[in-house]
Amino acid sequence: MSSTTSSVRSANRTRSLCHHLHQPLLISGSSPSSSGSPPVGGSMDEGSSASTSSSATARALDMFNRRGSVLAVVIAGNTAADVLPPSAGVPSTSAVSSTSGVISADQPSSTNSDNDMELFNEWKPPYPRLTAYQDCLSVAAGWGLGAHPNGLDDKPTGASQAQSPSEDDSGDGKCNELLASCPAFRNELGWEPTRRLALSRHTFDMAHTDAHECETWMREHSASEAGILEDVSNVYLGGRLCAARQPKTVIEPQDIGSYYYRHCFISKNHIEYLGMDDILGPISVSMVREIVDRKESYSIYRMIIRISDQKTIRVAIPEEALSTPEGTDRATRPLMRELLEIVCPKISFGTLRPSIQSPRVEELIMKIDEQPIYTRYKVGIMLCKNGQSTEEQMYNNEESTPSFDEFLDFLGQKVTLKGFEQYKGGLDTRGDTTGTHSIYSEYQAHEIMFHVSTLLPFTPSNRQQLSRKRHIGNDMVTIVFQEPGALPFSPITVRSHFQHVFIIVRVHNECSENVTYSVAVSRSKDVPPFGPPVPKGACFSKCAEFHDWLLTKIINAENAVHRSKKFATMAARTRREALRDLVENYVGPHQNEGASKIASRFLGGSVKRKERHNPKPTNHVLRGALTWLVDVHDYSTNQRVSCVLGVAQDWIVLLERPSGTVLFSTPTHSIIGWANSDTGLKLYYDHGDQLLLRCYSETCTDSELNELIRRLENVTKGDEAKEVVLRRLKTTDNWGFHVQDEGVVTDVDMYQLAWKAGIRQGSRIVEMDSMPISTLSFDKICDQLAVSECVRLLMISPSSDGSPRRGCEDPNCPAVKGIEQMLTPDAFAKQPITYHEMFRQKKLEYPTNSASSSPASSFDERTFSFNANKKSTEQRANNISNNRPNVLSSASVHDNMCTLLNPPKCLNRAQSDEQLRSPLMDELNRKAPLSARESTNERESSELVRIQTHLERTVQEKRALEMLAQQLRKQLIQERQAHDNTKREMERLKKLHEKK
């Protein structure tokens, strides 16, 4: 037998996706977009020379202000299109050559176009490893991802778009008994697949789909709820279970990072700079210095950059990266200039001035930042009776029905409008002109007012029912309640520019105990997909689960409408005008203004400016997200997708280019390891799911990849995987180890084949013969090991205490077998002792000073020769079993209970030393020798089962007693409070009596 152990990460096997970026020749002090070369492919005409001249003058004055040289007028001369990306609303005047990297012929090409690559390279951050982004939207804004608002067009939107003669989209062709296919709309009927980037059991057998068919796909719930990457509010945001065990009915976050200014700037001494750029428009920059560690004198600078129509960039930069040494006083303007050069050099610092010191400035900035946050929603509900399907028929249903009333009572609370003090949703609460009652609901700090068609005023003489339509027709989300026999609904029957999403609910077995509801969703093609997804063939019962699902779907629907082109453009216009008002009315005087200073600069010559330095790398771990440009293999479509990878201290996310959509998100505690192979960097998380990515490199070196691996080592508990090759002479020989269904090694034969190769108890197998363990069932793993004479394993070593590295803290997680059961972190915390804790207790009870007392914690610790004498090995094992002291009385009761609840299987081979030293095995060894463990009699087995059953019952009784004790404590606290209140009331009455 022979075994070889090699590291997967080797110099000759590392591969990076090399991008040779062809940058124009830079003039000292100018940006890449400020080169004076004429457009490629032709000369400027007279019409464009005027705009070029004005733009050149503005840029020359800006450069003169920064450098103090008349030469700035000579070297300026680019158009606005050379500075701003084409999607920002400035038309391109030249056919600029593509700056995208060249991918070698043997590599899969990205699906992005050259224009998207040009836009991307224009806004690429210069120092992505020094800029720690606070949230996903900041990552997208910093890398130039996402749609840029470029004005509204005259085309109809919403339901009216389906009737437009200019609409050439025929719909997706999906329909059922609830919903018909409609032009310009996308239907969700329940069999939409979920887009998963990682290789797992979900994607291994999935039929590959073309990229253009992914329009109606749903994202994973973990990616949909991704938002904050650096938590600054100190709020616990989730448990340490795998993604399959997390709640899937989640409200997709809006721009939660909008509270960044409130949490990190308001209560501290911060600086505001305002300015009006000729190209970018109004700009606002906030900066504050924060001391992270006083002992190490470690500080960071937090910044918020607001650029007109662009999204807000929220970042943190380490102080040690700046040119001036730490601890020294820095002037405000040079400091702000240097920070902007690191984060966003596209901003011309010469246009910025400090704001005036006024509380009104903070108030306006906070209002601008928190504009995208919505917590109040108004939703329309229409009744569709038997044989009905059109908008006019539903509006003319004067009276409600018992099934409709049952649904309304289930959906929310019926309230009287007169005197109602909560969210009104545009209804009259004084004169009853919009009806006397309505349906109102509160869900997770969100308020929803429903505009019910049968509760709004009915006008017999008006067939269009304008008094009803003026409310429901202006709602973005509309619920269509169908009774049995109703015809399939189509949005083409509705005339409205605001109704973008229709949720169709059909009742079955109405007004009975077996009432159920089926659901379908139709959304405008401009509205992005939203969750929670409609389950396949789902028929909801009237329960709390369906209530939460439906309200979550409503809230996510309206939030998705706000992200559509029409409403995003309207919000951007409001934001631009608010920033313009802030810049025009609250900017302070420029420090360089004044005739004397300008004259002195002309007469005294040009002012020499400091050369721009390269920021220094930091040795501290930034909490925000550092970013890399990567190619990710999408196993759902079997294609490579260009993404921006963000690695924060708590989260890892992938944003698609150029849309900026979050395709993948996982907490860093779920990372169990990684491996650098010929195909790219494999990242293993949760139960061994594999994410395959490759880093782009501008220098054709492994520097980007090495920085990524160092970042993973700092923020995760994972380790680099190592390759182990095991060979045996015959298939009947034992490999010498036991493995669980998720690849965790539970037992290892001492001094045998696996032991000598470096496999230890607690090691984790992530690949077997190039097949990921996450795609194999336990039977397939056993069959593969049984028939192979040579097996190649990719192993992740145990953690320092000998326990296996786990992405999910539950060692018996049902998601390993494909059963996705939701268990909240609070419920999981009440479960019995975990596998990790068992390893930790054994580590404390059994010392590991000698070389033969416990398995090594790493593969490189001890590697035994394959020429070892088999007799000496067996003799050593027998000596261990005969000379072991009796530790049963000294073992903890808790550890004995856990050992009995999970009894080890009798093995027909030598067991690992940790198993041999357990208290339970000491008891069994006194009854039978090591060679006779396989023949344990039935009486001992039945006794063990009886003890296990008794212990399980005891544990259940203990939990019940703990819950009862907790309830009694609450009752005692309430009684004490009532007693204190009574005592205070008696004292108050006594004082009143004494005064009388």
Side-chain angles (χ1 to χ4, degrees), residues 378-444:
K378 52 189 183 73
V379 179
I381 306 181
M382 296 191 296
L383 172 61
C384 185
K385 294 183 179 181
N386 182 16
Q388 296 180 349
S389 63
T390 64
E391 175 190 35
E392 185 174 320
Q393 292 172 341
M394 289 184 280
Y395 277 138
N396 282 275
N397 289 327
E398 181 177 1
E399 300 294 337
S400 180
T401 61
S403 61
F404 192 39
D405 291 337
E406 181 185 20
F407 176 72
L408 294 178
D409 293 338
F410 166 74
L411 189 60
Q413 177 186 3
K414 191 173 184 178
V415 296
T416 303
L417 289 179
K418 182 171 288 187
F420 187 69
E421 297 181 353
Q422 302 298 324
Y423 176 57
K424 306 173 183 59
L427 299 179
D428 183 14
T429 58
R430 295 183 179 180
D432 289 341
T433 59
T434 57
T436 59
H437 295 80
S438 187
I439 303 299
Y440 171 82
S441 180
E442 290 185 3
Y443 181 70
Q444 295 187 6

Side-chain angles (χ1 to χ4, degrees), residues 666-697:
T666 187
T668 52
H669 65 72
S670 69
I671 303 298
I672 59 178
W674 53 86
N676 190 13
S677 64
D678 291 336
T679 57
L681 181 67
K682 298 178 180 179
L683 201 62
Y684 301 97
Y685 69 100
D686 278 355
H687 298 287
D689 297 350
Q690 173 187 305
L691 191 69
L692 179 62
L693 53 89
R694 305 187 70 173
C695 291
Y696 283 71
S697 177

Side-chain angles (χ1 to χ4, degrees), residues 63 98 232 283 354 375 423 497 534 604 610 624 682 697 699 727 756:
M63 296 187 65
S98 174
V232 296
I283 298 174
T375 58
Y423 176 57
H497 291 274
V534 178
K610 289 184 178 180
K682 298 178 180 179
S697 177
T699 58
R727 291 186 177 89
K756 294 175 182 178

